[in-house]
Amino acid sequence: MTTTISERELEFLLYEFLDTEALLQRPRYAEHSREVFDATLATARRIAEERFAPYLRQGDEQEPSFVDGRAEVMAPNGPAWRALAEAGFLNAHWDADEGGLQLPEVVLRAAMSAFYAANVGIASYAMLTIGAANLLRTFGTPALKDRYLEAMGDGRHAGTMALTEPGQGSALGDIKTTAVPQADGSYRLFGQKMFISGGDQNFTGNIVHMVLARIQDAPAGVKGISLFLVPKVLPGEQGAAGVRNDVALAGLLHKMGWRATTSTVLSFGEAGGAVGWLVGREHQGLAHMFQMMNEARIGVGVMAACIAWRGYAESLAYARERPQGRLPSCKDPLSPQVKLVAHADVRRLLLAQKVYAEGSLALCLYACSLFEDQHSHPQPQARADARRLLDVLTPVVKSWPARYGATSNDMAIQVLGGAGYTRDYPLEQLYRDQRLNMIHEGAEAIQGIDLLGRKVVMDDGAALRLFVETVHRDRALASEAGLADEAAALGAALDCLTATTAVLTERLRNDPDLALANATVYLDVFGRIAAGWIWLQQGRVAALALEGASAGRADHYRGKLQAMRYFFRWELPQTQAQCELLTRLDRSALDMQDDWFV
């Protein structure tokens, strides 16, 4: 059994569900070919299976340790990091004149799925570094880029995002970290950050922290936040060895999952001030940081999808091998036991996992294709539409795979029964790793408020209208391919969403507390409909390709169609009851009083 996403599944998603080969017609990718894309995926798979997958359990059992003020991680982290970096995955999407390969975004993220499925605890360092480097590429000065970018691209430096503080979580407007201007144009930072993934480790020579802070005397709230690059090690004079910046590791946090990733508390300025440099414009730090935050949200979605897929693959392999009981129709106690996969309820658990895992991965890669289109599509209107559609979908791409990935991994444990709760199998660890994704890069409530309170109302609802138009277009294509019942069901759910949105956004104008009180449920409705749309597209591709397909490919297509049917019969209908509750503007949670929690 492979520990990475199957070759056939990625082939289907990249070249049948998404027409990734069409990117080769764009000038940016004229030097590439499908063979290059496939070789990239094969390289990622090989490295993941050799350097990442064998250490999944070890990373869980040998957590990072705090030694003499620094973090030490298990030994295999270093070789895994270097193999990934030397293969070019940290900068593969960069321009050629930056040292990159100009690899399409969607191909890079599909390649990264191999590392996430094999060992997310090690692979997370790469996701963070890619995001921090992209932030520097977009907003950094030429001097900062010259000093740090190449080293981040080749793996000599890692990167982080430092937002959260002990006194605040998601309320970034309340951060206290301060930046004091210096005569030489640099700043001295003072404050503390916590839950900083990858905030310290011992396998790269430096770590570039992207830090949110307030310039001294800046306005209160989010309008006074700026972004700073603060390295762990400062460059030495005239090529001399660097010296440690005033960034101290105050402690390590020990989470239920992702244990191979350091989770840190960092103190800035305990000995005179941490040296940092402004990135972008003063007081625009949060707007700049949203680039990395949104990129990380999609990355967390991809991670969640990959962990769900790994759990599904593990439980499917077990169910095919483990003899267990007989079917209810069998009355002969001496007959051979059947395999677990023969039992209807086990098939239900496996089919639901397939729906969640494969639907999540398809949703995430679709989002990556939008990210690609907003930058490289030859038509300006198509670029604008991709940007707008990605904006409204990003909260869903982060939250739906995380929520239902956890449900999927829970089902994977159930398939194994008592064995699933033991450490003899990776499923209990996969569940713990997965559960973190519902919090990473913003809890569900944050994503729900972002979706309902900002994304669906921005530009007078333009993003929501574009989403609705896009889904209706794909519904028509699916209906022509013989999926009229599913297309009609999705249309009815979409109408329900539209009507519900109108009720909630009307109330949002004069009573935002009530309108947003149940935003998490709205997020779930939107997510189910988006997932239904993605499954309908996969079903259409499978239906059209099934006739004349070889036996193995035909089975894959039939599996896609059956998973789509399951989603439309069991998952999508739940949106009706959810919409009814939302349109009542129920106050149950809002009116509950603190004193009543006894």
Side-chain angles (χ1 to χ4, degrees):
M1 185 194 65
T2 181
T3 55
T4 60
I5 309 297
S6 73
E7 293 180 54
R8 174 62 188 128
E9 184 62 17
L10 285 181
E11 178 192 29
F12 174 84
L13 293 177
L14 287 176
Y15 304 123
E16 297 181 74
F17 168 61
L18 302 171
D19 186 10
T20 303
E21 280 189 275
L23 296 176
L24 298 172
Q25 303 305 313
R26 300 180 185 179
R28 178 178 173 80
Y29 305 119
E31 301 299 318
H32 288 306
S33 64
R34 176 166 172 173
E35 288 73 24
V36 170
F37 295 165
D38 289 342
T40 301
L41 298 175
T43 298
R45 187 177 303 111
R46 175 182 57 79
I47 295 172
E49 292 176 350
E50 293 176 357
R51 295 292 188 179
F52 285 71
Y55 308 105
L56 179 69
R57 173 60 61 190
Q58 184 178 347
D60 193 61
E61 294 176 342
Q62 297 180 16
E63 291 187 73
S65 56
F66 188 97
V67 179
D68 296 330
R70 67 183 189 279
E72 291 190 356
V73 301
M74 66 170 183
N77 273 38
W81 169 267
R82 287 189 290 275
L84 182 150
E86 289 168 4
F89 287 106
L90 294 176
N91 61 2
H93 59 304
W94 293 8
D95 295 342
D97 59 11
E98 294 177 298
L101 302 175
Q102 295 188 182
L103 193 71
E105 183 74 20
V106 67
V107 177
L108 171 63
R109 302 302 172 172
M112 293 299 294
S113 74
F115 305 114
Y116 300 153
N119 192 325
V120 73
I122 299 179
S124 62
Y125 294 100
M127 184 197 77
L128 292 163
T129 300
I130 290 171
N134 285 340
L135 199 59
L136 178 58
R137 291 171 67 218
T138 302
F139 299 109
T141 64
L144 284 179
K145 291 179 186 180
D146 287 345
R147 184 175 296 169
Y148 293 105
L149 194 55
E150 181 180 342
M152 296 178 77
D154 64 23
R156 285 174 288 149
H157 296 176
T160 75
M161 56 194 304
L163 287 70
T164 305
E165 296 181 1
Q168 55 79 221
S170 301
L172 295 177
D174 296 323
I175 65 172
K176 304 298 183 185
T177 300
T178 303
V180 180
Q182 304 296 302
D184 63 359
S186 67
Y187 290 78
R188 297 296 180 271
L189 274 73
F190 302 87
Q192 194 171 77
K193 301 288 184 178
M194 72 181 303
F195 298 122
I196 308 306
S197 297
D200 198 51
Q201 35 78 5
N202 59 339
F203 57 82
T204 65
N206 205 349
I207 301 174
V208 175
H209 302 293
M210 292 294 187
V211 184
L212 290 184
R214 296 184 185 285
I215 296 175
Q216 197 173 40
D217 301 323
V222 297
K223 294 181 180 180
I225 297 175
S226 298
L227 175 64
F228 298 89
L229 184 154
V230 183
K232 174 182 176 179
V233 177
L234 292 168
E237 295 293 333
Q238 298 179 341
V243 295
R244 182 69 184 259
N245 200 0
D246 189 8
V247 181
L249 177 64
L252 293 175
L253 304 166
H254 301 282
K255 296 183 178 179
M256 65 185 287
W258 283 42
R259 291 180 176 175
T261 305
T262 54
S263 182
T264 63
V265 180
L266 299 178
S267 289
F268 297 83
E270 291 185 352
V275 179
W277 292 270
L278 182 68
V279 177
R281 297 169 57 192
E282 286 187 3
H283 312 321
Q284 297 296 313
L286 188 57
H288 298 337
M289 183 61 91
F290 262 115
Q291 173 183 297
M292 186 174 179
M293 292 166 66
N294 285 332
E295 184 178 329
R297 285 169 178 169
I298 296 171
V300 168
V302 177
M303 289 175 164
C306 292
I307 297 171
W309 193 94
R310 174 75 182 275
Y312 163 57
E314 296 274 357
S315 64
L316 176 60
Y318 185 90
R320 284 173 166 169
E321 296 172 358
R322 169 66 187 245
Q324 183 72 54
R326 296 158 188 84
L327 297 180
S329 59
C330 179
K331 306 303 180 184
D332 182 3
L334 299 179
S335 64
Q337 291 188 347
V338 298
K339 299 296 173 61
L340 271 175
V341 73
H343 294 286
D345 198 60
V346 172
R347 293 191 196 190
R348 176 186 65 82
L349 293 168
L350 292 169
L351 184 54
Q353 288 181 71
K354 180 180 177 71
V355 163
Y356 296 142
E358 293 183 4
S360 292
L361 187 57
L363 173 65
C364 292
L365 291 183
Y366 176 78
C368 293
S369 75
L370 291 176
F371 185 92
E372 177 62 50
D373 283 349
Q374 75 173 354
H375 292 290
S376 68
H377 198 285
Q379 298 177 4
Q381 187 59 53
R383 292 197 297 271
D385 286 348
R387 182 176 298 108
R388 180 164 280 163
L389 197 53
L390 183 60
D391 275 346
V392 78
L393 285 175
T394 294
V396 174
V397 172
K398 186 274 170 187
S399 61
W400 200 85
R403 168 182 273 261
Y404 291 101
T407 300
S408 182
N409 287 113
D410 177 76
M411 289 176 167
I413 292 174
Q414 190 72 14
V415 169
L416 269 68
Y421 295 92
T422 69
R423 281 178 285 178
D424 297 315
Y425 297 90
L427 294 171
E428 61 86 26
Q429 179 185 344
L430 292 173
Y431 178 81
R432 289 186 286 105
D433 285 343
Q434 182 71 277
R435 188 57 184 79
L436 272 64
N437 291 321
M438 293 173 70
I439 292 292
H440 280 152
E441 296 313 316
E444 284 187 304
I446 298 299
Q447 306 302 326
I449 291 171
D450 180 43
L451 178 63
L452 179 56
R454 294 182 60 246
K455 298 301 177 61
V456 302
V457 297
M458 64 184 182
D459 298 329
D460 196 28
L464 179 62
R465 286 195 299 274
L466 178 61
F467 172 73
V468 171
E469 292 166 4
T470 305
V471 174
H472 280 315
R473 179 201 66 201
D474 291 332
R475 283 180 55 245
L477 295 173
S479 187
E480 293 171 3
L483 303 178
D485 289 347
E486 289 82 4
L490 185 59
L494 194 62
D495 290 344
C496 191
L497 174 67
T498 303
T500 301
T501 304
V503 171
L504 295 174
T505 53
E506 175 63 29
R507 183 55 63 98
L508 193 62
R509 295 186 179 96
N510 51 31
D511 193 354
D513 289 342
L514 177 58
L516 298 174
N518 300 308
T520 304
V521 179
Y522 179 85
L523 175 71
D524 192 52
V525 172
F526 206 115
R528 285 183 194 274
I529 291 172
W533 167 48
I534 293 296
W535 266 114
L536 187 64
Q537 292 181 74
Q538 292 189 83
R540 172 181 172 271
V541 171
L544 293 173
L546 185 56
E547 185 175 353
S550 63
R553 297 178 80 85
D555 283 343
H556 184 264
Y557 293 135
R558 291 189 183 102
K560 287 289 182 184
L561 284 166
Q562 194 70 359
M564 180 205 67
R565 294 186 191 106
Y566 178 91
F567 187 92
F568 275 85
R569 293 170 185 174
W570 289 89
E571 294 290 331
L572 189 65
Q574 297 179 51
T575 59
Q576 182 177 355
Q578 290 176 304
C579 284
E580 289 176 358
L581 280 168
L582 287 168
T583 53
R584 291 177 197 166
L585 293 166
D586 181 70
R587 302 181 61 95
S588 296
L590 186 62
D591 289 346
M592 182 64 179
Q593 301 298 303
D594 184 6
D595 292 342
W596 301 348
F597 287 106
V598 293

